[in-house]
Short mmCIF file of all heavy atoms in Angstrom, two decimals:
data_model
loop_
_atom_site.label_atom_id
_atom_site.label_comp_id
_atom_site.label_asym_id
_atom_site.label_seq_id
_atom_site.Cartn_x
_atom_site.Cartn_y
_atom_site.Cartn_z
N ALA A 222 124.70 69.47 12.19
CA ALA A 222 123.91 68.30 11.83
C ALA A 222 123.57 68.28 10.34
O ALA A 222 123.45 67.21 9.74
CB ALA A 222 122.62 68.27 12.67
N ALA A 223 123.43 69.47 9.71
CA ALA A 223 123.05 69.51 8.30
C ALA A 223 124.15 69.02 7.38
O ALA A 223 123.87 68.65 6.23
CB ALA A 223 122.64 70.94 7.92
N HIS A 224 125.39 69.01 7.85
CA HIS A 224 126.49 68.57 6.99
C HIS A 224 126.46 67.06 6.75
O HIS A 224 127.15 66.58 5.85
CB HIS A 224 127.83 68.96 7.61
CG HIS A 224 128.00 70.43 7.78
ND1 HIS A 224 127.87 71.34 6.74
CD2 HIS A 224 128.30 71.18 8.88
CE1 HIS A 224 128.08 72.57 7.17
NE2 HIS A 224 128.35 72.49 8.49
N HIS A 225 125.71 66.33 7.52
CA HIS A 225 125.66 64.87 7.37
C HIS A 225 124.48 64.41 6.51
O HIS A 225 124.27 63.20 6.37
CB HIS A 225 125.57 64.21 8.75
CG HIS A 225 126.73 64.54 9.64
ND1 HIS A 225 127.94 63.89 9.59
CD2 HIS A 225 126.86 65.49 10.62
CE1 HIS A 225 128.75 64.40 10.49
NE2 HIS A 225 128.12 65.37 11.13
N TYR A 226 123.73 65.36 5.98
CA TYR A 226 122.58 64.97 5.16
C TYR A 226 123.06 64.21 3.92
O TYR A 226 124.08 64.59 3.34
CB TYR A 226 121.80 66.22 4.75
CG TYR A 226 120.52 65.92 4.00
CD1 TYR A 226 119.36 65.60 4.68
CD2 TYR A 226 120.51 65.92 2.61
CE1 TYR A 226 118.19 65.32 4.00
CE2 TYR A 226 119.34 65.63 1.92
CZ TYR A 226 118.19 65.32 2.62
OH TYR A 226 117.04 65.03 1.94
N PRO A 227 122.40 63.13 3.47
CA PRO A 227 121.04 62.70 3.84
C PRO A 227 120.93 61.92 5.13
O PRO A 227 119.83 61.55 5.52
CB PRO A 227 120.62 61.84 2.66
CG PRO A 227 121.89 61.29 2.13
CD PRO A 227 122.93 62.35 2.35
N ALA A 228 122.03 61.66 5.83
CA ALA A 228 121.91 61.06 7.16
C ALA A 228 121.35 62.09 8.13
O ALA A 228 121.72 63.28 8.07
CB ALA A 228 123.27 60.55 7.63
N VAL A 229 120.45 61.64 9.00
CA VAL A 229 119.80 62.53 9.97
C VAL A 229 120.24 62.11 11.36
O VAL A 229 119.90 61.01 11.81
CB VAL A 229 118.27 62.47 9.83
CG1 VAL A 229 117.60 63.34 10.88
CG2 VAL A 229 117.83 62.88 8.43
N PRO A 230 121.00 62.94 12.06
CA PRO A 230 121.39 62.57 13.44
C PRO A 230 120.17 62.44 14.34
O PRO A 230 119.34 63.34 14.42
CB PRO A 230 122.27 63.75 13.88
CG PRO A 230 122.75 64.37 12.61
CD PRO A 230 121.63 64.19 11.63
N GLY A 231 120.06 61.32 14.99
CA GLY A 231 118.93 61.05 15.87
C GLY A 231 117.82 60.24 15.23
O GLY A 231 116.92 59.77 15.94
N ALA A 232 117.84 60.09 13.90
CA ALA A 232 116.78 59.32 13.24
C ALA A 232 116.87 57.84 13.58
O ALA A 232 115.85 57.14 13.62
CB ALA A 232 116.85 59.51 11.72
N GLY A 233 118.08 57.33 13.86
CA GLY A 233 118.24 55.92 14.18
C GLY A 233 118.17 55.62 15.65
O GLY A 233 118.43 54.48 16.07
N ALA A 234 117.82 56.59 16.48
CA ALA A 234 117.76 56.38 17.92
C ALA A 234 116.54 55.54 18.28
O ALA A 234 115.52 55.54 17.59
CB ALA A 234 117.72 57.72 18.64
N ASP A 235 116.66 54.82 19.39
CA ASP A 235 115.55 54.02 19.89
C ASP A 235 114.46 54.96 20.40
O ASP A 235 114.70 55.77 21.31
CB ASP A 235 116.03 53.12 21.02
CG ASP A 235 114.94 52.19 21.52
OD1 ASP A 235 113.82 52.21 20.96
OD2 ASP A 235 115.21 51.45 22.50
N PRO A 236 113.26 54.93 19.83
CA PRO A 236 112.22 55.89 20.23
C PRO A 236 111.73 55.69 21.65
O PRO A 236 111.13 56.61 22.22
CB PRO A 236 111.10 55.66 19.21
CG PRO A 236 111.32 54.28 18.71
CD PRO A 236 112.79 54.04 18.74
N ALA A 237 111.97 54.53 22.26
CA ALA A 237 111.51 54.28 23.62
C ALA A 237 112.58 54.50 24.67
O ALA A 237 112.31 54.35 25.86
CB ALA A 237 110.98 52.85 23.74
N ALA A 238 113.81 54.87 24.25
CA ALA A 238 114.92 55.03 25.20
C ALA A 238 114.91 56.44 25.77
O ALA A 238 114.25 57.34 25.26
CB ALA A 238 116.25 54.73 24.52
N ARG A 239 115.65 56.62 26.85
CA ARG A 239 115.78 57.92 27.51
C ARG A 239 117.26 58.26 27.66
O ARG A 239 118.14 57.39 27.61
CB ARG A 239 115.13 57.88 28.90
CG ARG A 239 113.64 57.70 28.92
CD ARG A 239 112.92 58.93 28.43
NE ARG A 239 113.25 60.11 29.22
CZ ARG A 239 112.56 60.52 30.29
NH1 ARG A 239 111.51 59.82 30.69
NH2 ARG A 239 112.92 61.62 30.93
N GLY A 240 117.55 59.55 27.81
CA GLY A 240 118.93 59.99 28.03
C GLY A 240 119.81 59.74 26.83
O GLY A 240 119.41 59.97 25.68
N SER A 241 121.00 59.26 27.09
CA SER A 241 121.98 59.02 26.02
C SER A 241 121.97 57.57 25.54
O SER A 241 122.87 57.17 24.80
CB SER A 241 123.38 59.38 26.51
OG SER A 241 123.72 58.61 27.67
N GLU A 242 121.00 56.80 25.95
CA GLU A 242 120.95 55.40 25.55
C GLU A 242 120.22 55.25 24.20
O GLU A 242 119.27 55.98 23.90
CB GLU A 242 120.21 54.58 26.61
CG GLU A 242 120.88 54.59 27.98
CD GLU A 242 120.08 53.79 28.99
OE1 GLU A 242 118.99 53.30 28.61
OE2 GLU A 242 120.54 53.67 30.14
N GLY A 243 120.71 54.29 23.42
CA GLY A 243 120.05 53.96 22.18
C GLY A 243 120.06 55.06 21.15
O GLY A 243 119.08 55.24 20.42
N LEU A 244 121.15 55.83 21.06
CA LEU A 244 121.22 56.92 20.07
C LEU A 244 121.55 56.42 18.68
O LEU A 244 121.38 57.16 17.71
CB LEU A 244 122.26 57.96 20.50
CG LEU A 244 121.93 58.74 21.77
CD1 LEU A 244 123.03 59.73 22.08
CD2 LEU A 244 120.60 59.46 21.62
N GLY A 245 122.06 55.21 18.56
CA GLY A 245 122.41 54.68 17.24
C GLY A 245 123.91 54.65 17.03
O GLY A 245 124.67 55.41 17.65
N GLU A 246 124.33 53.79 16.14
CA GLU A 246 125.75 53.62 15.88
C GLU A 246 126.37 54.81 15.18
O GLU A 246 127.57 55.05 15.29
CB GLU A 246 125.97 52.36 15.03
CG GLU A 246 125.53 51.07 15.72
CD GLU A 246 125.75 49.85 14.84
OE1 GLU A 246 126.22 50.06 13.69
OE2 GLU A 246 125.47 48.73 15.29
N ASP A 247 125.58 55.59 14.45
CA ASP A 247 126.14 56.71 13.70
C ASP A 247 126.61 57.85 14.59
O ASP A 247 127.35 58.73 14.15
CB ASP A 247 125.12 57.24 12.70
CG ASP A 247 123.80 57.60 13.36
OD1 ASP A 247 123.55 57.11 14.47
OD2 ASP A 247 123.03 58.37 12.75
#
Side-chain angles (χ1 to χ4, degrees):
H224 299 305
H225 300 278
Y226 185 83
V229 177
D235 184 3
R239 294 289 302 268
S241 59
E242 298 179 357
L244 294 180
E246 298 179 358
D247 54 340

